[in-house]
């Protein structure tokens, strides 16, 4: 179903996307998981969902990536192993056209992991005692899995990558956040490039959503870096994810 054919007002949808972008950007993320879930719940075409979600993810993380690089928080030696496998896998994922039911179940599982990450996996202070080679291999494997997920579903993977970097002892919280923003940006770009080659749609009808996430992302990233507690905002983000899981689960189990 096209955006303009939905029963709910496009401006109400844009308002919801503004809130999502605001909350996600306040903790350094793009919002792909909630954009994707909300569009699935509202009945968007499964062809359009990853394209739109990746596009919006790209926009929101552009500002964050630029700021992190400009402030020299980004560590390229840290993030390159992740990107070596994630970008080609994101491109591959973008070329796949999964059946609707498979797409929805994959989205639901990924949302459950996001919720577990927020509410159950809170302590990321421990470090794994891995050799340099071990850390490199784990980075390659994690990058490939998150890249594939980014391309298929439209979720950037930053919410998984940031704590993983801290657990592996690869860098500080700021460096992890910087790598997360750049990771989401580049993988969203790779997945979107692939999807536009195989399944192009007219993004012009989604302009209200684009404007909403630009405004929400800009304001959220500013407030998150100056006034908001990242832990509190992440819990608010978790509530959005739980609501999305409830609606999407109902859609799948009781069609």
């Amino acid at each position: 179903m096209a955006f303009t054919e939905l029963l709910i007002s496009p401006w109400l949808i844009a308002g919801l996307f503004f809130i999502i972008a605001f909350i996600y950007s306040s903790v350094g993320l793009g919002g792909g998981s909630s954009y994707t879930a909300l569009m699935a719940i509202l009945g968007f075409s499964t062809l359009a969902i990853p394209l739109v979600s990746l596009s919006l993810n790209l926009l929101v993380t552009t500002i964050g990536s630029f700021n992190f690089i400009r402030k020299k928080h980004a560590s390229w030696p840290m993030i390159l192993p992740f990107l070596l496998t994630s970008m080609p896998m994101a491109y591959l994922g973008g070329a796949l056209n999964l059946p609707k039911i498979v797409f929805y179940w994959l989205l639901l599982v990924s949302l459950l992991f996001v919720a577990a990450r927020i509410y159950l996996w809170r302590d990321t202070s421990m470090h794994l005692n891995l050799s340099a080679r071990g850390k490199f291999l784990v980075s390659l494997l994690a990058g490939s899995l998150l890249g594939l997920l980014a391309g298929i579903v439209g979720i950037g993977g930053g919410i998984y990558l940031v704590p993983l970097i801290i657990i592996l002892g690869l860098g500080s919280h700021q460096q992890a956040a910087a790598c997360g923003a750049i990771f989401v940006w580049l993988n969203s770009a790779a997945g979107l490039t692939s999807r536009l080659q195989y399944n192009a749609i007219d993004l012009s009808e989604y302009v209200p959503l684009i404007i909403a996430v630009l405004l929400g992302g800009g304001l959220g990233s500013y407030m998150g870096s100056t006034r908001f507690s990242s832990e509190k905002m992440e819990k608010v983000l978790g509530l959005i994810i739980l609501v999305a899981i409830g609606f999407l689960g109902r859609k799948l189990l009781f069609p």
Side-chain angles (χ1 to χ4, degrees), residues 29-49:
L29 299 172
S33 54
S34 287
Y35 304 141
T36 303
L38 183 57
M39 286 187 284
I41 292 166
L42 293 174
F44 279 66
S45 162
T46 52
L47 174 64
I49 289 174

Side-chain angles (χ1 to χ4, degrees), residues 126-200:
M126 70 284 196
H127 289 180
L128 297 180
N129 293 320
L130 296 176
S131 64
R133 182 181 180 185
K135 292 177 180 179
F136 181 77
L137 292 176
V138 170
S139 299
L140 292 178
L141 177 60
S144 63
L145 293 175
L146 295 179
L148 185 63
L149 184 65
I152 294 175
V153 182
I155 294 176
I159 200 167
Y160 306 118
L161 180 66
V162 171
L164 180 61
I165 288 174
I166 297 170
I167 285 175
L168 292 176
L170 298 177
S172 66
H173 283 74
Q174 276 187 326
Q175 289 175 322
C179 286
I182 296 169
F183 182 86
V184 171
W185 192 90
L186 290 173
N187 284 300
S188 295
L192 182 62
T193 299
S194 177
R195 287 200 167 270
L196 289 175
Q197 286 181 339
Y198 295 99
N199 303 297

Side-chain angles (χ1 to χ4, degrees), residues 78-145:
M78 182 194 306
I79 194 174
L80 280 177
F82 292 101
L83 295 176
L84 283 175
T85 51
S86 68
M87 291 186 67
M89 291 300 286
Y91 187 87
L92 173 63
L96 299 178
N97 189 13
L98 298 180
K100 185 176 181 179
I101 189 68
V102 176
F103 176 85
Y104 282 156
W105 275 109
L106 182 58
L107 172 59
L108 180 60
V109 170
S110 65
L111 290 177
L112 288 170
F113 272 105
V114 172
R117 152 67 185 95
I118 293 173
Y119 288 108
L120 302 179
W121 189 12
R122 296 301 306 164
D123 184 9
T124 56
S125 59
M126 70 284 196
H127 289 180
L128 297 180
N129 293 320
L130 296 176
S131 64
R133 182 181 180 185
K135 292 177 180 179
F136 181 77
L137 292 176
V138 170
S139 299
L140 292 178
L141 177 60
S144 63
L145 293 175

